[in-house]
Amino acid sequence: MTGQWLTADQQRIWRDWLQVDRLLPARLNQQLQAGPGLSLPEYEVLVQLSEVPGGQLRPVQLGQALDWEQSRLSQQLTRMRRRGLVDRADCAGDGRGTVVVLTQAGRTAIERAAPGHAVTVRRLVFDRLSAEQTEAFGRACAAILQALRESGEPGDPPDGPQGRRTGQPIPADDRQADRTLR
Amino acid sequence: MTGQWLTADQQRIWRDWLQVDRLLPARLNQQLQAGPGLSLPEYEVLVQLSEVPGGQLRPVQLGQALDWEQSRLSQQLTRMRRRGLVDRADCAGDGRGTVVVLTQAGRTAIERAAPGHAVTVRRLVFDRLSAEQTEAFGRACAAILQALRESGEPGDPPDGPQGRRTGQPIPADDRQADRTLR
DNA sequence: GAAGATTGAAGGGTCAATCTTA
DNA sequence: TAAGATTGACCCTTCAATCTTC
């Protein structure tokens, strides 16, 4: 979980963050499943559609609103369509495109799910933090987010002091260790 | 429009956290893939094994160290075994059990991956935070983690005003629930 | 029966390839 | 060619069922 180049404090914080990163979404998922029978990704999609008049969006717009990749969105919409939460329709203006339509079942589901979800977020996160802690937590998230975005698209330095800088093929020793990963 | 469930500040922080929650692990995964050809879950398993003399652990111990469920660990070990990163052996003392063994390929992989991973964690997280911010971030993570653990197993109050199993239409009150939660 | 562990199925996420239309 | 969108393959995670051994 940790390398040799983090301080003891940093290691502890890092381990805690890894746990939060895993457990918090899992808990939100459980809560949504238990009552309204929605997954967190389903909830996020439905929120976006329900906020728009007519409950319709082009996949591209939906993807931008969620900051999701096209492929992920498409896969998710296929599953949600199977469940009857959304539907797909041809797009009037553009022959290439489609329109995602919120069904009545989808609208019912999101309207039933929203209050309890917000309550859970407050209970697990914000009710636990003092005003100063909330503020500090927000600043930390914003700072990390900025780092993620800055290091995101550019030359994308693979970074790190170890081997890969040269772009050479991996030495024979490694061959066995890195084939099957996507 | 701001919902009545989270304040505007809380909504902003929550959206940022959701992004960090998604982007940070993805970036760590990318970095591990690019060089050492490991996934983040693989890395975590290898770290645990490499820290133990002999590079061997019972699955139960490994699961406790990682705080993973048995099933998840077993599935992960099956894939890693296929890749030659670990191996499985019968347990001497207990006929039911097995032992997970770090292979030479696995040791090579983790030793090569660790420095770059630590650098990435520092670069994306800790280099971005002042001492006070780090401290506050750590306290916030710890507090949230505590909330997650406390609300974990017990009666698990489904919490919240939702929870309609009856399939009724929603009460008028709930209609305007906050939709801005990402 | 309980504990250690594995497996099958299903939802979720990502990458690469593909198809159609602008 | 580029943009909108989908699909197939594979990895990750969880749940329920199962199998063996204590």
Side-chain angles (χ1 to χ4, degrees), chain B:
Chain B
M1 101 142 188
T2 61
Q4 55 259 69
W5 303 93
L6 293 181
T7 69
D9 276 351
Q10 288 174 340
Q11 288 184 36
R12 174 182 48 74
I13 293 170
W14 182 241
R15 276 193 297 268
D16 281 356
W17 184 83
L18 282 173
Q19 295 250 315
V20 170
D21 178 75
R22 182 164 56 88
L23 294 177
L24 186 46
R27 206 55 60 84
L28 296 174
N29 231 318
Q30 286 171 14
Q31 184 269 326
L32 282 169
Q33 291 287 359
L38 293 176
S39 70
L40 188 52
E42 286 173 336
Y43 179 84
E44 296 182 59
V45 169
L46 293 179
V47 165
Q48 295 299 327
L49 288 174
S50 70
E51 282 179 346
V52 131
Q56 300 192 358
L57 277 175
R58 296 286 298 267
V60 173
Q61 301 172 296
L62 189 49
Q64 286 169 350
L66 292 163
D67 196 22
W68 284 12
E69 295 177 5
Q70 237 181 12
S71 171
R72 174 187 183 183
L73 179 61
S74 186
Q75 302 271 14
Q76 185 66 44
L77 289 176
T78 296
R79 290 186 296 263
M80 293 179 70
R81 199 172 167 224
R82 212 150 51 207
R83 293 199 49 199
L85 296 170
V86 300
D87 201 358
R88 202 144 42 183
D90 288 337
C91 181
D94 192 333
R96 302 170 295 183
T98 59
V99 174
V100 185
V101 186
L102 182 61
T103 63
Q104 185 52 48
R107 191 172 292 278
T108 301
I110 186 61
E111 285 174 351
R112 187 162 310 169
H117 180 68
V119 167
T120 303
V121 171
R122 276 207 296 127
R123 183 167 60 80
L124 292 178
V125 178
F126 294 106
D127 288 353
R128 291 292 175 151
L129 306 178
S130 68
E132 302 81 36
Q133 272 181 319
T134 299
E135 183 59 31
F137 180 65
R139 276 199 306 268
C141 285
I144 294 168
L145 199 48
Q146 191 186 345
L148 285 165
R149 285 176 171 145
E150 286 174 4
S151 75
E153 301 318 322
D156 186 53
D159 100 275
Q162 95 301 20
R164 261 316 29 82
R165 271 133 195 104
T166 61
Q168 309 295 350
I170 333 174
D173 289 346
D174 292 0
R175 304 315 265 306
Q176 69 224 312
D178 160 63
R179 299 263 184 291
T180 45
L181 287 180
R182 265 300 302 241

Side-chain angles (χ1 to χ4, degrees), chain A residues 149-170:
Chain A
R149 285 178 172 144
E150 286 174 4
S151 74
E153 302 318 321
D156 188 51
D159 99 275
Q162 93 296 40
R164 266 325 23 83
R165 250 163 303 152
T166 62
Q168 302 304 336
I170 306 186

